[in-house]
Amino acid sequence: MHLLNTSTPVGRKVLPKLAGMGRPLIRTKTADLRAAGVQLVPRVAGVRQGEIMLDDGRSLPVANVIWCTGFAEAYPWLDIPALPPDCRGQQHRGIVDALPGLYLLGQDLLFAAASETLPGVCRDAKYLAKRLAATRVPQPESEVQSGRVARLGS
């Protein structure tokens, strides 16, 4: 927003090189994510006994997966036996009926023509966040304090 534009020397130099190429449309700073309560973790290496396994050997209990893969729908590297072949066709506003706990965001025509755009994905994400918050099971404070359960925004 402030650096790569036609008013700055670096913007005038870089913008012509970016023409016709894919590029991020937003910039999220790590400090802002941490301030919002987001915990950064290493890459997911797999799943074992219902828990996400990270590259560093740690595991995380995960109740929900929000699949925000974006534009292309080609995942030859992904093997999920329980995933319905047409999970997009079996969802409503990002909630996959056949697999409780699996949600979709940011995909073309997921809910509307704008679902893959920033305004559209924001609208879809707000709807999904409200649905998840409404179905969230409160955790005992002792589990939250022990670190067994992550609390967003804390």
Side-chain angles (χ1 to χ4, degrees):
M1 295 278 295
H2 304 287
L3 183 62
L4 293 180
N5 61 57
T6 57
S7 296
T8 67
V10 69
R12 288 189 293 275
K13 181 177 180 179
V14 172
L15 288 177
K17 295 176 185 176
L18 295 178
M21 297 175 58
R23 59 202 164 272
L25 298 177
I26 60 172
R27 178 178 175 197
T28 304
K29 296 179 181 177
T30 304
D32 294 338
L33 291 172
R34 285 195 175 108
V38 174
Q39 178 187 359
L40 302 178
V41 298
R43 178 182 293 231
V44 173
V47 177
R48 185 180 324 132
Q49 298 176 345
E51 291 197 349
I52 300 293
M53 304 305 299
L54 303 176
D55 267 350
D56 65 1
R58 290 185 294 155
S59 65
L60 299 173
V62 175
N64 300 307
V65 173
I66 302 174
W67 193 333
C68 310
T69 56
F71 307 107
E73 289 189 38
Y75 317 110
W77 49 270
L78 191 59
D79 180 23
I80 303 176
L83 188 65
D86 181 26
C87 68
R88 272 180 56 114
Q90 298 180 34
Q91 63 83 30
H92 174 70
R93 294 202 72 174
I95 300 168
V96 179
D97 302 324
L99 282 174
L102 177 63
Y103 304 93
L104 307 174
L105 278 178
Q107 294 181 343
D108 184 37
L109 305 175
L110 185 71
F111 170 64
S115 284
E116 69 177 342
T117 67
L118 288 175
V121 79
C122 287
R123 176 184 56 200
D124 293 351
K126 285 179 184 177
Y127 174 85
L128 186 56
K130 285 180 185 176
R131 292 293 302 265
L132 287 171
T135 60
R136 183 173 168 233
V137 177
Q139 299 295 323
E141 193 63 29
S142 60
E143 288 191 22
V144 172
Q145 289 174 350
S146 72
R148 290 181 51 189
V149 176
R151 177 185 273 171
L152 293 178
S154 60

